[in-house]
Amino acid sequence: MEDSQFTQQIQSAIAQKQEWFNTTGFPELLNQYRLLSSCVRNLFDMLKKKALVNPDPYSMDKRISDVVLPDTSPFSDAETANVLGERLSDYDAVLDFICNYYRFSTETLTPPTIKKLMDLNVVIDWANLTINSSSSNTRALATILNQARLNAPAILVSMITDCTQKGKDTSVAISKSLQEIAVFQKELYKGEIRKFVIANPEFNKEKAYASPDAELAEIKRLFTKSMGKRPFYSDLVSEVINEDQGNNKDFLKAEALRKLAIHNVPQKQEVKRRGPDTRQMLIDTVMAIGGMAPTLDMVLTKLRDNFDIFYANKTSFFVKLGKLFKKMFHAKTNAQICVIKIVDQKTGSSREQKLNIDDFLYDLAQKIRVYNGIGTQGMEFQRVIQYPEDKIFNFVCKQISECQSLYTIINSLDSFFKTEVDIINRPKIKGLQIDLSALRNSIVTANKKRADYQSVKEESEQMSKLGIK
């Protein structure tokens, strides 16, 4: 028979788990996708710059409005540069869509969508990125990355290693999160059967609990009326019936509650200190700087799109053909330069500055990679916190100064696009003011943390000079 106490426990556990997903689980999953997207973008940019792959020339014409799986069919070694370039373009685009446009919720992450995201997670098998992989995309990427490492500077080799390791870590974390969501969706479905079918006044409990077959018949009788267009999953309905009438129903009920339990809740420990820990204050400032990565990643995406639009109608067919031949023969292409107006916010004076677009975007991508590593407490973060305190402070000052310069250039580029892009294409330009506002707030936060550190540090030094500890 029905256990009303168990029904209440299940509904309460579902509500708590759903709240946890909305406040913690989904934001963490989005951060993992953003980190994976950043790693893929960095590797893709590097491979394009070294002319090891040819990006999809029609990528700007493709419009993604849903998660679309890139092709995974086999291809020959001779086709690697073109086919892998096209598939990486598609892979990069769908990750960008997930990071910037997809809304993670228990309503959107249905079982079919979860299946599609799980399939996307193995389009490139980051956990087995080897030249012997059975996956065509994985094998081709591993081969091309090995070529990129040959005679490459140490910093580039380090970047490749770091990105591939993060790709492995994030794909594992994403897979784990998706599996947890899939389990929750099953329990949510079972909970809805209890809430809308079994709790329905028309549900004949006396008749249903006479036998498992009778309960199944009663659920089927009211299912469409109570659940609308929801599909009838016979295996999950059977689980509900077994929890109600099975020989091991007590174990099954406990198992259902266990699946809905919220795990990995950090326990806060009280740490008593005689005064502020200046080193920890600096580390908090470093973390604040790492927190700029998602904003800068969004800016980078918009800048790439805006530059593509800017140059779309300014490049003749023969110039495009020349660039294509240069890529085919690994010849160096001419640098793309734009002239922007830099305005001094203090004096109001302005000056013109030439900006090498490829170098600027590449450097920005590298900074995002470092900040992502800091934000996720990866290799970059572990390296920085090993520094002596004064070296961490110098790192903080350097990053804040560079971010302030970045803000100025990005703000100038926003004005540049609004005035220099052909009028017919201006509606396609993506504005940067919202991102600039977020970036400015992040810089102010990091600057304040640095100032607080300096204040406490100076006070501590003064107290020491006076012999007060």
Side-chain angles (χ1 to χ4, degrees), residues 40 90 96 114 207 246 267 271 316 322 338 367 379 398:
V40 170
D90 293 341
D96 178 70
I114 294 171
K207 180 180 179 181
Q267 299 293 324
V271 181
S316 69
C338 73
K367 185 170 288 294
M379 251 178 15
K398 181 174 183 289

Side-chain angles (χ1 to χ4, degrees), residues 120-304:
L120 177 66
N121 212 31
V122 292
V123 164
I124 292 176
D125 186 1
W126 294 100
N128 298 287
L129 190 61
T130 67
I131 59 174
N132 298 317
S133 172
S134 58
S135 161
S136 299
N137 293 342
T138 306
R139 184 171 61 251
L141 181 60
T143 302
I144 217 91
L145 287 177
N146 284 344
Q147 294 177 26
R149 287 187 178 97
L150 292 175
N151 302 318
I155 189 170
L156 183 59
V157 174
S158 175
M159 186 274 284
I160 295 173
T161 302
D162 187 46
C163 285
T164 52
Q165 181 60 47
K166 282 190 171 68
K168 175 183 176 180
D169 295 342
T170 53
S171 64
V172 169
I174 288 169
S175 179
K176 184 178 178 182
S177 294
L178 292 174
Q179 289 169 4
E180 187 173 9
I181 296 165
V183 169
F184 173 76
Q185 287 288 9
K186 291 179 181 180
E187 296 306 317
L188 177 62
Y189 179 88
K190 289 161 59 181
E192 288 175 346
I193 289 175
R194 294 187 179 280
K195 184 177 180 180
F196 299 116
V197 180
I198 295 178
N200 191 312
E202 297 181 34
F203 187 84
N204 190 330
K205 295 181 180 179
E206 184 177 352
K207 180 180 179 181
Y209 295 133
S211 70
D213 288 341
E215 185 174 359
L216 176 60
E218 195 66 10
I219 290 173
K220 283 184 175 180
R221 182 176 71 84
L222 293 173
F223 186 87
T224 303
K225 181 178 179 180
S226 303
M227 298 284 282
K229 295 182 179 180
R230 293 294 300 275
F232 186 90
Y233 295 121
S234 56
D235 55 336
L236 296 180
V237 172
S238 295
E239 287 185 21
V240 172
I241 295 171
N242 286 331
E243 289 167 3
D244 288 341
Q245 303 190 52
N247 294 330
N248 58 341
K249 61 183 181 181
D250 291 337
F251 170 78
L252 294 175
K253 290 174 182 177
E255 187 68 8
L257 290 170
R258 184 192 66 78
K259 291 176 182 177
L260 290 168
I262 298 171
H263 305 289
N264 301 325
V265 178
Q267 299 293 324
K268 293 185 178 179
Q269 297 181 348
E270 293 289 332
V271 181
K272 294 184 178 179
R273 301 189 185 278
R274 290 182 294 177
D277 184 344
T278 53
R279 185 178 184 85
Q280 185 59 48
M281 291 178 75
L282 266 184
I283 291 173
D284 290 343
T285 311
V286 172
M287 286 298 293
I289 290 170
M292 299 182 200
T295 302
L296 289 175
D297 197 32
M298 178 74 77
V299 168
L300 180 59
T301 300
K302 290 183 176 180
L303 287 176
R304 284 196 177 104

Side-chain angles (χ1 to χ4, degrees), residues 44-60:
F44 192 26
D45 284 347
M46 179 272 297
L47 292 174
K48 287 188 291 185
K49 196 168 186 178
K50 293 177 75 69
L52 290 171
V53 296
N54 301 321
D56 181 7
Y58 304 105
S59 59
M60 284 296 295

Side-chain angles (χ1 to χ4, degrees), residues 4-33:
S4 59
Q5 183 181 3
F6 172 67
T7 301
Q8 291 174 1
Q9 288 176 325
I10 279 290
Q11 298 301 336
S12 175
I14 287 173
Q16 290 176 25
K17 188 78 170 187
Q18 196 160 17
E19 177 64 18
W20 178 83
F21 273 123
N22 290 332
T23 58
T24 304
F26 292 142
E28 286 180 356
L29 178 59
L30 178 58
N31 284 336
Q32 292 297 330
Y33 271 113

Side-chain angles (χ1 to χ4, degrees), residues 330-458:
H330 306 298
K332 189 174 180 180
T333 57
N334 296 329
Q336 291 181 317
I337 305 292
C338 73
V339 179
I340 57 176
K341 183 181 289 186
I342 303 292
V343 179
D344 190 317
Q345 298 298 324
K346 294 180 180 178
T347 64
S349 60
S350 62
R351 60 182 174 81
E352 289 188 344
Q353 177 178 323
K354 289 184 178 181
L355 186 70
N356 185 311
I357 297 168
D358 294 331
D359 288 347
F360 174 74
L361 296 180
Y362 182 78
D363 291 342
L364 179 55
Q366 297 310 303
K367 185 170 288 294
I368 292 168
R369 180 183 67 82
V370 172
Y371 286 4
N372 266 321
I374 291 172
T376 56
Q377 298 189 15
M379 251 178 15
E380 292 81 1
F381 176 76
Q382 299 302 328
R383 183 163 56 244
V384 171
I385 64 173
Q386 298 301 319
Y387 293 161
E389 195 169 314
D390 59 336
K391 193 171 179 181
I392 298 178
F393 179 71
N394 291 336
F395 173 83
V396 165
C397 293
K398 181 174 183 289
Q399 296 308 313
I400 291 175
S401 176
E402 289 180 357
C403 286
Q404 289 170 335
S405 299
L406 260 179
Y407 175 87
T408 302
I409 293 174
I410 294 166
N411 193 31
S412 299
L413 284 171
D414 187 49
S415 301
F416 173 84
F417 292 126
K418 290 174 181 176
T419 57
E420 299 300 321
V421 171
D422 293 340
I423 294 176
I424 194 172
N425 286 326
R426 285 181 194 174
K428 300 177 184 177
I429 291 295
K430 296 178 179 179
L432 296 164
Q433 285 305 311
I434 294 176
D435 307 291
L436 283 166
S437 177
L439 181 58
R440 181 177 61 247
N441 291 339
S442 297
I443 294 171
V444 169
T445 299
N447 218 359
K448 184 179 182 303
K449 287 180 177 291
R450 177 179 63 171
D452 291 343
Y453 163 80
Q454 287 178 290
S455 177
V456 170
K457 188 72 173 177
E458 289 171 3

